[in-house]
Amino acid sequence: MSNSVKKRKRDDVPVSSPQRNRSIASFFKGQATSIVSEDTDQTLSDEILARKLQEEWNQSDTVPSTGEPISAPSKPEDNNIEPPNKAQKKNTLSLQSSVGTEDTLSLAVPFDQSPLTFDSTRYAEELKGHWSSESGNASYALLTRAFVLANATTSRIKIVDTLVNFLRVLVEADPSSVLPAVWLATNSISPPYAEMELGLGGSSISKALKKIYGLNSQGLKTLYDRHGDAGDVAFEAKKRQSFTLMKPKPLTIKGVYQSLQKIAISKGTGSQETKQRIVEKLLQDTRGAEESRYIVRTLVQNLRIGAVKTTMLIALARAFLYSKPSGADYAVRPQQELARLKKEDLNEVYNNAEEIIKASYARHPDYNDLIPCLLDIGVTEEILVRCGLQLHIPLRPMLGSITRDLSEVLTKLQGRDFTCEYKYDGQRAQLHCDEKGKVSIFSRHLENMTEKYPDLVSLVPQIRGESVSSFILEGEVVAVDQETGELLAFQVLTNRAKKNVDIGTIKVNVCLFAFDLMYLNGIPLLNRPFRERRELLRSLFVEIPNRFTWVESFDATSADSETVLEFFKGATDTKCEGIMVKVLDNVLKTNLPEASETTNNVDDMDKSDPKVPKGNRRKALLSTYEPDKRLESWLKVKKDYSTSSETLDLIPIGGWHGQGRKAKWWSPILLAVRNPETGSLEAVTKCMSGFTDKFYQANKAKYTEGSPNIISRPSYVEYYGEPDVWFEPQEVWEMAFADITLSPTYTAAIGLVSDERGLSLRFPRFLRVREDKSVDEATTSDYLALLWRKQFERSQKEETERPAPDTELDWQEE
Ligand code: ATP
């Protein structure tokens, strides 16, 4: 098991990412035949390869491309895009030594220094000169340098410092490369709702690797079996390549980002060839094995540098405290001044900046808008005005904290007026409507679902009361029997197609159970108490039976325990998952201790990082809508599956041959949580309970030996044992369990609660396949650690509350 996993910081909290993390194995399946793979030698000689490639390029230069024209790019930096044919015309056969082509200047920048001492201006000046031959565009080598340093450390402080210093150099030397660099470092090319997918087939990377680095299928497979990660395979292949066909044209940050955009927008006939050419060109132009590694990791969308969303937001906030583009007229803090501050004061300066950036991103999660704003005005409150809540841009949803049972809820909310709402088992939806009546619908993970729910879109004119011009409201979409109003199971909803749903052919009817209103007639309502938001929602919008209505609710205080219990029973009897309990007002009625907050934020929980605030800060329990936060002003109580009310969404990753009656099937099955920081899957438990025979059968049929769903041991799985077979990770299963235990065998969340031991589940039981969740949305190791801590705190509390032991007995035993 890698050290990085062991030494990882404790107490990080999950950051959900809607990005697709495809499995590496899938990139080596079903490879199309290429000229190279026909050769029997492990690798072609560079000379032969060069001639073959040159021949191909000559041909493709004379034959016009069959691909659709790539539409004109809209962003200013896109002006630098080279038409693909132009790039190819430059191909001339000349073998070059690949040694000495690396960008040694970029490779020497000490980005991992403390930002308090790092001399960004000196490096910016040196690099500007160095990039003048590339029209001043920052080199991809510099980004690679930052990736390598970030990847080399397990310290979150170092990762943040590296990104901060890297961003500072870019801000000072080539501000126009900051935005593409941020997209590349966050392993995406657009916000989730913009739906820009690379759409690279599994075979195209391997085909390009073979072609550009002169490997045949066997050679590629050998490297893959040894390294497991497509990027590492590219690294090795590039390292072995002693000659290249032509001097690589240095990759720039903008150029690489534009190539990815070109891949994403290339659609229709011939687009596969266009994409393939771009991928090959990128690999061809890498200077050095590290560039190859990160280009390929970017293409397979599994960067593994730990620059998750929150890390990037923190890095941006800090970088713009220190640096600004030349000519910008806002103030930055001189480095010497920051260096003189006491640690707490520096933390406060950092925190203030970070809060602004995080708040902006939670309301308006699009770097395309945030970065230009930052370059223009730096980190100021005005960012929240310029880059705040906006119609047709989804805000990141507020989340609920888990609770063990109702009594915990009543204790937590003593002295408060709260409301209990049914927790419907459907799909969360954010509905935006502007004055012109244009409607957008977004999912919990910010994907655009407008095409999935044309029936909801068509309801808007009727539900929008007369005084409503524009709004953003939120609710749960549930499949509902239109005749009886009966709620249907979540699985029914999953039968609906995701795109291009034709309103005339809808078979699964839905009802939107609205529960919040965040924006009304041009005014954000986030800071208004929930009671007021709910009042506006229910008074200004119009119900339509079985199609648009309010969540079932009941207002209470802690004194109403009996009625709350009744309400909870009513919810679970009506096919709901349980209840959500929400604080109604901001004011405390009595002077009770304030409840604590947990956030969906890595560094708020990072106890080992002195630069960031500690987790579990005592904070007033507000009834405001807090985007992207998991607060205790929203509590969820789920029906008890077993002793634990919480369930986990785990990824099946392997299986053992069953015994006796189950000999024909895989049983037990090994399951994992995902670690969004390292990109690894960490084994958490074996399960053999809750499956029906029919399920076992289907499972065996899916994961048949010899099928592409059975793979060799993946390098990205962390597990001390060895199942009989490894599954290609592709599903998410909801699992119940009794409790979470420390384990010497399982690696889940290792380093988060114990340096030596991981976490595992007692009495795991399969509940259902989460058809609606992709592997990237499975439970994270941080979340598992959070649940473990909650369970630990609970047991400590129960320990102290237990009556004192009988003293007489104590005496007798002595
Ligand atoms: P789960 O795994 O239970 O679906 P989650 O991680 O998706 O939870 P939580 O914050 O834990 O999100 O639970 C809130 C979810 O419950 C919301 O995302 C929403 O989809 C759903 N929900 C159903 N009814 C309500 C309600 N009345 N108020 C808020 N959320 C509700």
Side-chain angles (χ1 to χ4, degrees), residues 44-114:
L44 290 175
S45 83
D46 294 313
E47 174 89 36
I48 298 171
L49 173 70
R51 290 193 194 288
K52 284 194 169 183
L53 272 179
Q54 185 63 53
E55 219 170 87
E56 244 192 38
W57 283 338
N58 288 344
Q59 265 175 18
S60 75
D61 272 357
T62 50
V63 179
S65 164
T66 49
E68 278 183 1
I70 294 168
S71 58
S74 56
K75 299 203 169 38
E77 65 268 21
D78 288 351
N79 296 336
N80 298 318
I81 294 178
E82 260 184 344
N85 283 339
K86 188 173 154 203
Q88 284 163 21
K89 288 219 176 72
K90 286 190 193 155
N91 298 323
T92 44
L93 176 65
S94 68
L95 280 181
Q96 308 267 341
S97 165
S98 65
V99 183
T101 56
E102 293 190 47
D103 178 348
T104 43
L105 186 59
S106 297
L107 294 187
V109 186
F111 286 133
D112 54 348
Q113 265 181 19
S114 161

Side-chain angles (χ1 to χ4, degrees), residues 399-400 421-424 428 444 476 515 551 577 580 582 630 634 636 638 649 770 773:
L399 301 168
E421 296 177 351
Y422 279 9
K423 186 177 190 305
Y424 295 86
R428 191 167 181 162
R444 184 198 151 166
E476 189 83 352
F515 54 74
V551 289
E577 282 188 299
M580 298 291 297
K582 300 175 182 177
R630 199 180 280 285
W634 271 30
K636 54 176 178 172
K638 287 201 196 173
D649 295 324
R770 290 292 303 248
K773 288 204 171 180

Side-chain angles (χ1 to χ4, degrees), residues 449-691:
M449 301 197 296
T450 320
E451 286 186 11
K452 180 175 180 179
Y453 293 115
D455 39 350
L456 289 182
V457 174
S458 75
L459 288 184
V460 169
Q462 298 164 62
I463 66 171
R464 181 159 76 151
E466 274 174 14
S467 55
V468 177
S469 58
S470 57
F471 65 87
I472 302 176
L473 65 75
E474 203 173 28
E476 189 83 352
V477 182
V478 186
V480 163
D481 183 315
Q482 292 297 300
E483 307 274 287
T484 61
E486 191 198 340
L487 302 180
L488 302 177
F490 173 75
Q491 279 77 0
V492 179
L493 187 66
T494 58
N495 290 332
R496 184 178 279 213
K498 288 202 169 122
K499 286 238 167 304
N500 297 324
V501 174
D502 176 4
I503 195 160
T505 60
I506 288 175
K507 293 204 180 65
V508 177
N509 289 301
V510 297
C511 178
L512 177 64
F513 291 89
F515 54 74
D516 218 318
L517 182 67
M518 294 91 97
Y519 182 92
L520 182 70
N521 297 350
I523 299 166
L525 302 180
L526 302 182
N527 290 333
R528 308 282 178 91
F530 181 48
R531 194 191 289 276
E532 190 183 333
R533 299 198 306 276
R534 189 181 65 171
E535 173 59 25
L536 289 168
L537 173 70
R538 296 192 178 187
S539 61
L540 299 180
F541 288 78
V542 183
E543 277 184 280
I544 307 175
N546 300 337
R547 306 195 66 195
F548 175 78
T549 185
W550 329 123
V551 289
E552 197 68 43
S553 70
F554 164 71
D555 292 357
T557 68
S558 292
D560 305 314
S561 56
E562 288 300 312
T563 353
V564 171
L565 182 62
E566 280 303 304
F567 185 79
F568 178 77
K569 283 194 183 132
T572 52
D573 290 346
T574 330
K575 295 215 183 79
C576 286
E577 282 188 299
I579 59 171
M580 298 291 297
V581 181
K582 300 175 182 177
V583 171
L584 282 166
D585 311 290
N586 286 343
V587 256
L588 269 178
K589 275 191 170 168
T590 57
N591 281 337
L592 287 160
E594 289 165 352
S596 64
E597 167 196 6
T598 56
T599 75
N600 197 26
N601 166 333
V602 175
D603 285 350
D604 276 357
M605 297 291 293
D606 195 336
K607 304 223 174 17
S608 49
D609 185 344
K611 288 193 191 140
V612 293
K614 301 282 184 265
N616 287 338
R617 285 173 292 162
R618 308 299 279 180
K619 207 173 181 187
L621 207 48
L622 298 173
S623 66
T624 45
Y625 191 102
E626 300 290 332
D628 205 22
K629 288 198 173 155
R630 199 180 280 285
L631 298 172
E632 294 204 335
S633 43
W634 271 30
L635 298 172
K636 54 176 178 172
V637 196
K638 287 201 196 173
K639 78 180 138 203
D640 234 348
Y641 289 114
S642 60
T643 39
S644 163
S645 58
E646 192 61 19
T647 62
L648 298 175
D649 295 324
L650 303 180
I651 305 163
I653 55 164
W656 284 263
H657 291 289
Q659 304 280 323
R661 197 176 64 78
K662 297 183 184 170
K664 299 189 292 289
W665 308 317
W666 299 126
S667 178
I669 291 170
L670 183 65
L671 294 125
V673 291
R674 73 189 172 90
N675 182 329
E677 269 184 52
T678 60
S680 310
L681 299 182
E682 301 173 347
V684 63
T685 193
K686 278 180 204 168
C687 178
M688 52 195 306
S689 152
F691 303 115

